[in-house]
Amino acid sequence: MSESDAESIRKQTRSYITVFVTLMVMTVLTVLVSYAHMPVGLAILVALVIASFKGSLVASVFMHLSHERKVIYWVLLLTVIFFIALMAIPSISQWDQRMLR
Amino acid sequence: MEIPYTVEARPDTGVFNAKLGVWLFLASEVMLFGALFSSYVLLRTGAPPGTWHHGREFLNVPLATLNTIILIASSVTMVMSWASLKLNDFKKYRIYMGLTLLAGVGFLVVKGFEYGHKFEVGLLPKTNTFLAIYFTLTGLHGLHVIGGMIVNGYLLGPGAKLFKTQPERFTNRVEVAGLYWHFVDLVWIFLFPTLYLL
């Protein structure tokens, strides 16, 4: 391995530590916010926004998605589309229930 | 038979085969957990008003917070073990991988305490719909932690011999094992607030 490669790995390890600290802070924040008696809808929104932010940090930095090959992005694009469809099922079913009434 | 593209990238995909393979596997994992997560939403929104039991009533938030911290820390040690191999520091690799494995044990011990306590006081999957989906989701996640630990244990123990003969191939194995381990961490990041806090 060349010297410049080694330097870039060292730079990456520093970013891992930064992400670690951020994730810890976000975890504490999630717990604190949950004690703040917010309306249910808002509480769910806040919790999911924080979780998505944490998740995207893990995916982009630890899983190296911030600099990955195109083929991986295509796989993930398909996954996202199907995942959205899965998440839409509960609302489709509610709509269905309403039609039946 | 020689396995192709374990080190160098396959020209048409641009990545070594195992990386694409693991990402496809993770895509199927997203659908597995996604389907159960969707079921959770459906069960919860479909429950008659006032009948849904919330996680807060039964679950131990401090213990789950501790487990979140343990799992995130293990993700960091996992990626550091890969970075150590990239820097050709096998000694550090063993330390970081050992810590990752230890964190996995820690997570399961904490989870074991949680489960044990619930069984003791008679809170079982059949008790109510919330507990049914709670045990399903955390149980499946726990199995994933065990699976990751088996792979990590192999890479720390007998599998580590490969580093002497084919260091790059071994480093790639650790990288894709890491992708899986981070995914397990990622799932927990969503399970923790949705089951314990909301």
Side-chain angles (χ1 to χ4, degrees):
Chain A
M1 185 166 53
S2 73
E3 216 20 66
S4 65
D5 278 353
E7 188 45 48
S8 96
I9 295 287
R10 279 190 201 97
K11 217 182 262 169
Q12 278 183 49
T13 56
R14 281 193 289 274
S15 72
Y16 298 149
I17 302 303
T18 316
V19 168
F20 175 58
V21 174
T22 316
L23 288 173
M24 286 296 147
V25 172
M26 288 285 148
T27 302
V28 173
L29 192 70
T30 319
V31 177
L32 289 181
V33 161
S34 78
Y35 285 99
H37 297 293
M38 282 183 293
V40 180
L42 184 66
I44 290 174
L45 184 74
V46 169
L48 286 183
V49 166
I50 298 177
S52 304
F53 178 68
K54 285 167 76 181
S56 62
L57 273 182
V58 170
S60 59
V61 181
F62 293 163
M63 298 169 95
H64 305 135
L65 273 188
S66 56
H67 49 274
E68 197 43 273
R69 296 286 165 171
K70 264 206 193 97
V71 64
I72 307 291
Y73 293 138
W74 282 114
V75 169
L76 288 176
L77 179 68
L78 271 179
T79 313
V80 167
I81 293 169
F82 283 112
F83 182 77
I84 290 170
L86 258 186
M87 290 301 135
I89 290 173
S91 8
I92 294 168
S93 110
Q94 274 187 340
W95 176 72
D96 197 37
Q97 293 278 316
R98 239 170 265 146
M99 295 288 282
L100 286 173
R101 258 178 229 148
Chain B
M1 198 186 82
E2 181 80 11
I3 300 170
Y5 304 112
T6 53
V7 173
E8 73 277 20
R10 202 180 130 117
D12 52 357
T13 61
V15 294
F16 58 93
N17 278 357
K19 186 183 264 189
L20 181 58
V22 164
W23 272 111
L24 285 170
F25 168 60
L26 291 184
S28 78
E29 290 274 83
V30 168
M31 299 313 282
L32 172 64
F33 279 101
L36 284 170
F37 201 77
S38 182
S39 309
Y40 171 39
V41 176
L42 183 62
L43 289 170
R44 191 165 164 165
T45 54
T51 60
W52 184 260
H53 291 274
H54 292 266
R56 274 266 165 89
E57 297 168 36
F58 327 98
L59 305 179
N60 190 323
V61 175
L63 275 188
T65 309
L66 173 66
N67 252 355
T68 308
I69 291 169
I70 290 175
L71 217 53
I72 291 174
S74 82
S75 243
V76 180
T77 53
M78 185 81 201
V79 79
M80 292 298 274
S81 76
W82 167 79
S84 306
L85 285 181
K86 278 277 185 193
L87 294 169
N88 225 351
D89 193 338
F90 189 69
K91 232 179 177 172
K92 262 195 182 154
Y93 158 75
R94 295 196 70 158
I95 293 170
Y96 281 123
M97 193 51 121
L99 287 172
T100 310
L101 210 57
L102 212 62
V105 173
F107 180 89
L108 289 178
V109 167
V110 172
K111 203 82 213 132
F113 270 119
E114 279 190 83
Y115 272 22
H117 173 72
K118 271 175 209 78
F119 294 152
E120 252 170 53
V121 297
L123 293 171
L124 304 168
K126 66 172 181 186
T127 308
N128 58 49
T129 315
F130 171 79
L131 284 169
I133 196 77
Y134 162 81
F135 278 114
T136 307
L137 275 167
T138 55
L140 183 69
H141 179 266
L143 286 178
H144 277 79
V145 172
I146 293 171
M149 284 170 64
I150 292 171
V151 173
N152 289 347
Y154 172 75
L155 291 172
L156 179 65
K161 281 198 296 272
L162 189 69
F163 187 71
K164 289 198 186 79
T165 50
Q166 292 173 281
E168 280 180 71
R169 186 174 175 190
F170 181 68
T171 306
N172 283 349
R173 279 189 180 176
V174 172
E175 184 180 359
V176 293
L179 287 177
Y180 171 81
W181 191 253
H182 302 312
F183 173 80
V184 174
D185 180 25
L186 215 155
V187 169
W188 183 258
I189 284 175
F190 282 92
L191 288 186
F192 170 55
T194 49
L195 289 175
Y196 286 81
L197 303 177
L198 293 173

